[in-house]
């Protein structure tokens, strides 16, 4: 996946602005509740693929996970393009965790090294009964090794939940990203994909992804904040996020869009082992 140089400045302007802040002791990490997560060093593929930053959509998904708005108890979860894997690892650390969490990213030693370090560092917080794996995966390539991990758990081959945080920037990657999604999302009427994107990703680019997803057989619903229940910029997570107060987190949350997708009934064929 290549990055148009003219888009980099807009994307980086939304990066988590904790670097060099007085409240942050380690500018290469973020702490969300008990989790301490490092970002990959700013070099090589980690820099090219923006794996050296944490963006607002990961915070939005983490808040929703913390509030129990993404049901994962006993389910099989995979995150694509995980980066530091905040949403997925938070699932594993909360009460009523998934049965399986697989965090994936581009198969580069620096990117995967950081991801694996996050898994190992935070493993003391993972709840009993939740298995956590780390795997390399290039979008559009063979997903069999990842699906094989899911086969140790009950259900059709694949995953009940797919997490995609801030992966829509570049429409040139949409087809391969959807190929991986279509292969990994279990053919079950309860399987869901949760997608969050920054508002700096244009509506045109987001709509291209959604359209291609519909052609693949996925039905989308955009999740809009209910003004009766909460303001769009109200941060409702209870855990402390070192380096950002609730007002700042609310601003970050309001910079995002989110969708939930599921298979259309015509695509719910019985999968054979």
């Amino acid at each position: 996946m290549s990055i148009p140089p003219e888009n980099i400045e807009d994307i980086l302007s939304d990066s988590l602005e904790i670097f060099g802040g007085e409240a942050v002791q380690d500018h290469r990490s973020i702490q969300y509740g008990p989790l301490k997560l490092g970002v990959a060093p700013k070099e090589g593929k980690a820099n090219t693929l923006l794996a050296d930053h944490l963006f607002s959509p990961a915070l939005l998904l983490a808040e929703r996970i913390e509030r129990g708005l993404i049901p994962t108890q006993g389910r099989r979860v995979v995150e694509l393009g995980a980066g530091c894997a905040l949403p997925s690892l938070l699932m594993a650390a909360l009460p009523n965790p998934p049965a399986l969490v697989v965090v994936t990213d581009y198969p580069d030693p620096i990117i995967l090294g950081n991801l694996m370090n996050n898994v190992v560092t935070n493993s003391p917080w993972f709840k009993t009964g939740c298995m956590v794996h780390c795997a390399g995966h290039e979008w559009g390539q063979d997903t069999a090794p990842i699906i094989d991990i899911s086969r140790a758990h009950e259900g059709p081959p694949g995953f009940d939940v797919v997490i995609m945080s801030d992966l829509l920037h570049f429409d040139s990657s949409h087809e391969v990203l959807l190929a991986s999604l279509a292969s990994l999302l279990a053919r079950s009427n309860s399987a869901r994909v949760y997608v969050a994107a920054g508002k700096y990703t244009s509506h045109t680019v987001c709509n291209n992804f959604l359209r291609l997803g519909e052609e693949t057989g996925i039905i989308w619903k955009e999740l809009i904040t209910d003004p009766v229940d909460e303001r769009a910029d109200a941060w409702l997570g209870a855990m402390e996020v070192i380096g950002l107060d609730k007002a700042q987190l609310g601003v970050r949350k309001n910079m995002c869009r989110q969708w939930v997708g599921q298979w259309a009934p015509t695509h719910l064929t019985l999968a054979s082992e």
Side-chain angles (χ1 to χ4, degrees), residues 36-97:
K36 187 171 184 180
L37 302 165
V39 297
K42 193 177 181 66
E43 57 184 85
K45 281 288 186 181
N47 185 28
T48 304
L49 300 180
L50 300 181
D52 57 340
H53 289 79
L54 175 68
F55 294 99
S56 296
L59 291 168
L60 168 66
L61 289 172
E63 190 232 42
R64 292 186 61 80
I65 290 164
E66 184 187 347
R67 295 169 59 199
L69 299 179
I70 297 180
T72 61
Q73 182 176 4
R75 310 192 84 192
R76 301 163 300 167
V77 177
V78 64
E79 183 171 358
L80 294 172
C84 68
L86 169 58
S88 295
L89 298 187
L90 183 62
M91 291 178 187
L94 292 176
N96 304 315

Side-chain angles (χ1 to χ4, degrees), residues 56-58 60-61 163-168 194-198 256-259:
S56 296
L60 168 66
L61 289 172
I163 299 295
M164 295 172 48
S165 174
D166 213 32
L167 305 183
L168 307 189
Y194 295 90
V195 180
C256 304
R257 299 174 69 194
Q258 55 183 318
W259 300 265

Side-chain angles (χ1 to χ4, degrees), residues 54-252:
L54 175 68
F55 294 99
S56 296
L59 291 168
L60 168 66
L61 289 172
E63 190 232 42
R64 292 186 61 80
I65 290 164
E66 184 187 347
R67 295 169 59 199
L69 299 179
I70 297 180
T72 61
Q73 182 176 4
R75 310 192 84 192
R76 301 163 300 167
V77 177
V78 64
E79 183 171 358
L80 294 172
C84 68
L86 169 58
S88 295
L89 298 187
L90 183 62
M91 291 178 187
L94 292 176
N96 304 315
L100 171 68
V101 171
V102 181
V103 292
T104 73
D105 211 323
Y106 188 83
D108 169 78
I110 293 176
I111 294 174
L112 286 185
N114 179 73
L115 190 56
M116 178 60 75
N117 185 64
N118 284 343
V119 171
V120 172
T121 298
N122 293 286
S123 60
W125 301 109
F126 300 160
K127 293 296 186 285
T128 302
C130 179
M131 301 296 297
V132 180
H133 296 261
C134 178
H137 175 64
E138 182 177 355
W139 303 339
Q141 300 302 308
D142 185 17
T143 59
I146 302 172
I147 292 175
D148 284 345
I149 300 173
S150 77
R151 292 180 186 274
H153 300 263
E154 184 178 352
F159 293 83
D160 309 300
V161 175
V162 178
I163 299 295
M164 295 172 48
S165 174
D166 213 32
L167 305 183
L168 307 189
H169 310 303
F170 313 114
D171 51 12
S172 61
S173 70
H174 287 175
E175 289 189 2
V176 290
L177 178 56
L178 282 162
S180 291
L181 169 60
S183 179
L184 291 169
L185 187 65
R187 299 280 172 157
S188 162
N189 59 13
S190 62
R192 297 289 186 272
V193 51
Y194 295 90
V195 180
K199 290 181 179 177
Y200 44 82
T201 300
S202 75
H203 281 249
T204 299
V205 171
C206 291
N207 288 341
N208 179 71
F209 175 81
L210 299 174
R211 177 183 58 80
L212 291 174
E214 289 171 353
E215 293 175 2
T216 303
I218 295 174
I219 301 170
W220 301 105
K221 177 183 178 181
E222 184 164 9
L223 302 178
I224 307 296
T225 300
D226 185 343
V228 174
D229 295 333
E230 59 180 275
R231 301 193 324 271
D233 61 350
W235 182 264
L236 301 178
M239 292 182 174
E240 183 181 12
V241 182
I242 300 297
L244 292 172
D245 61 27
K246 286 204 169 187
Q248 293 169 317
L249 288 165
V251 170
R252 296 289 176 182

